[in-house]
């Protein structure tokens, strides 16, 4: 793709992601993306042959951006507590979404797609299962003698804290949410 085409493509993905965080995946149309990006619907169709094609690429982009924002900064750190601390802070920062008006696009898509069979749900589910394995590995480094069932509960609790943070911070406008989430996380990891 020529540089101008690649830049337009990236701009269309950015615009679609912004809209998804506020309105949901199904509510975003090609026309909406075109209008917000200042191009025609036919220009959007040159990049994405259908709404479904846009959605598939958009879910992939969400996963990649989450990985870049949350995992990449934590990856070079030692496994266990130090890496988990960075992952936790990265997840909260990702939910805060300073670069978009809505919260976590992955969580928005997960809520929307949880009962919708198909390739979008399959892609999102697979990514969340991979992420749970990463978290389990980090909890194993922190608790080397823990059995699998205990590690899975720790991952479940970690995810619960992150979800509760998003709910309290974004829906309830709770200014104390980050402090509460951090305190709950510290209890989970033992101080």
């Amino acid at each position: 793709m020529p540089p101008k085409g690649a830049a337009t493509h990236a701009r269309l993905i950015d615009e679609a992601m912004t809209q998804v965080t506020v309105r949901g995946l199904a509510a975003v149309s090609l026309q909406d993306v075109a209008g917000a990006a200042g191009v025609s619907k036919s220009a959007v169709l040159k990049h994405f042959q259908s709404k479904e094609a846009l959605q598939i690429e958009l879910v992939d982009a969400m996963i990649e951006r989450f990985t870049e924002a949350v995992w990449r900064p934590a990856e070079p750190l030692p496994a266990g507590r130090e890496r988990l601390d960075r992952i936790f802070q990265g997840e909260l920062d990702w939910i805060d979404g300073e670069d978009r008006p809505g919260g976590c696009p992955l969580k928005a898509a997960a809520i929307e797609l949880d009962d919708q069979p198909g390739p979008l749900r399959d892609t999102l589910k697979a990514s969340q299962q991979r992420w749970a394995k990463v978290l389990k590995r980090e909890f194993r480094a922190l608790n080397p003698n823990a059995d699998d069932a205990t590690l899975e509960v720790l991952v479940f609790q970690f995810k619960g804290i992150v979800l509760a943070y998003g709910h309290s911070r974004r829906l309830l406008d709770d200014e104390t949410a980050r402090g509460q989430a951090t305190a709950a996380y510290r209890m989970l990891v033992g101080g």
Side-chain angles (χ1 to χ4, degrees):
M1 189 177 297
K4 183 177 179 188
T8 300
H9 193 88
R11 193 169 90 242
L12 294 172
I13 289 289
D14 287 345
E15 185 50 51
M17 193 171 309
T18 295
Q19 291 188 28
V20 165
T21 64
V22 176
R23 298 175 43 209
L25 200 57
V28 177
S29 71
L30 296 175
Q31 185 61 51
D32 294 333
V33 174
V39 300
S40 67
K41 183 177 177 181
S42 63
V44 175
L45 282 168
K46 287 180 186 176
H47 291 272
F48 313 99
Q49 285 64 50
S50 66
K51 180 177 178 177
E52 292 76 22
L54 170 63
Q55 289 175 330
I56 288 168
E57 197 164 328
L58 187 54
V59 169
D60 288 341
M62 290 176 195
I63 294 164
E64 179 58 31
R65 289 182 187 185
F66 175 86
T67 301
E68 289 301 315
V70 178
W71 173 246
R72 294 285 181 254
E75 187 177 21
L77 299 174
R81 179 62 189 265
E82 193 173 346
R83 192 180 285 164
L84 273 170
D85 287 353
R86 182 63 191 99
I87 287 169
F88 179 72
Q89 292 306 316
E91 287 236 32
L92 299 190
D93 292 344
W94 173 256
I95 289 168
D96 288 342
E98 301 281 328
D99 61 335
R100 57 195 178 273
C104 174
L106 289 170
K107 298 221 182 336
I111 291 166
E112 189 172 346
L113 297 172
D114 63 358
D115 292 320
Q116 302 295 321
L120 292 175
R121 182 184 187 278
D122 294 346
T123 299
L124 190 56
K125 179 180 175 181
S127 78
Q128 294 302 297
Q129 289 171 328
R130 284 190 306 273
W131 186 237
K133 286 180 183 176
V134 168
L135 293 172
K136 185 176 177 181
R137 184 185 68 220
E138 297 308 317
F139 275 108
R140 184 176 305 285
L142 187 64
N143 303 286
N145 297 322
D147 61 16
D148 277 352
T150 299
L151 295 171
E152 287 167 10
V153 169
L154 291 169
V155 170
F156 187 88
Q157 291 174 320
F158 179 95
K159 292 189 300 184
I161 293 167
V162 170
L163 287 169
Y165 172 73
H167 174 79
S168 293
R169 180 72 184 101
R170 300 206 63 86
L171 179 65
L172 303 178
D173 299 317
D174 184 352
E175 296 296 326
T176 67
R178 194 170 191 112
Q180 291 174 344
T182 301
Y185 168 74
R186 286 187 183 138
M187 290 173 69
L188 178 67
V189 295

